[in-house]
Amino acid sequence: MITWRRVTEADFPLLREWLARPHVARWWQQDTSPEGIARDFGPAARGEEPFEDLLVLLDGTPVALVQRSRFADCPEYAAELAAQVALPDGAVTIDYLIGDAALTGQGLGPRIVRTLVAATWTDHPGATAVVVPVNVANRPSWRALEKAGLRRVGTADLDPDNPADERAHYVYRADRPGGPVGREGAAGPA
């Protein structure tokens, strides 16, 4: 069973461990010092910013991190993306990682994405779509989105998290079920 809760400061040592692992560090480029983790995750953990850092649990055991945010809360990023692909008002985005490399490649990523996208419609009643840019080099990530039911709607030229990567990103989207765009591409329950 997949559940989640907000990240708390007590989770910071686990996040540091996960973010330092090679399969995560390759894509996240995160400062894993205690100060860096507190700086980057502290405001959301304390409810001081609108972004959601969610600790995902599988049968009660922490396995992943999902960050969920509204594009409206990131206006510069939203404008950059909207200049390249359709970005509906009310769109939400997610970013995600699986902490243990041994759990990757087994279908857990798509299950997590599908479950969080489905929950977004309840958690964020104004959300019209979930739109996720992912670097074209990160095949496991964009394949997880496809397996979760999101559809590729375009490409975008965006700054990569890892400066060693190209700027090319695939953009994936799931629309709110029954919304103005219809059910195509909507993610369902896990």
Side-chain angles (χ1 to χ4, degrees), residues 4 16 21 29 37 44 64 66 73 86 90 95 107 130 151 153 159 164 174 185:
W4 58 90
R16 286 186 64 220
R21 291 182 176 168
Q29 298 291 296
I37 296 295
V66 173
D73 294 324
D95 201 356
V130 175
R151 68 188 189 290
V153 295
D159 285 334

Side-chain angles (χ1 to χ4, degrees), residues 2 16 23 43 66 71 73 75 77 82 94 97 110 144 152 156 186:
I2 294 174
R16 286 186 64 220
H23 77 285
V66 173
F71 278 99
D73 294 324
Y77 182 56
I94 58 171
L97 66 84
R152 190 181 302 174

Side-chain angles (χ1 to χ4, degrees), residues 20-70:
R21 291 182 176 168
H23 77 285
V24 175
R26 163 67 181 94
W27 300 108
W28 279 66
Q29 298 291 296
Q30 181 76 40
D31 176 357
T32 58
S33 69
E35 300 78 19
I37 296 295
R39 177 192 65 237
D40 295 340
F41 293 92
R46 293 186 299 272
E48 296 170 0
E49 64 184 20
F51 310 112
E52 297 173 284
D53 293 333
L54 305 171
L55 189 70
V56 179
L57 306 121
L58 179 62
D59 298 326
T61 301
V63 294
L65 171 71
V66 173
Q67 294 182 313
R68 184 169 58 179
S69 59
R70 298 175 324 129

Side-chain angles (χ1 to χ4, degrees), residues 64-150:
L65 171 71
V66 173
Q67 294 182 313
R68 184 169 58 179
S69 59
R70 298 175 324 129
F71 278 99
D73 294 324
C74 312
E76 290 177 14
Y77 182 56
E80 181 181 18
L81 186 60
Q84 301 178 64
V85 297
L87 185 63
D89 290 339
V92 171
T93 192
I94 58 171
D95 201 356
Y96 40 85
L97 66 84
I98 294 177
D100 185 346
L103 296 175
T104 63
Q106 299 181 25
L108 181 59
R111 284 181 58 203
I112 290 169
V113 169
R114 192 171 32 253
T115 301
L116 263 294
V117 168
T120 297
W121 312 134
T122 302
D123 297 348
H124 296 273
T128 56
V130 175
V131 178
V132 185
V134 62
N135 192 281
V136 297
N138 193 347
R139 187 176 194 278
S141 183
W142 56 260
R143 286 292 294 143
L145 293 169
E146 291 173 352
K147 291 176 183 177
L150 282 78

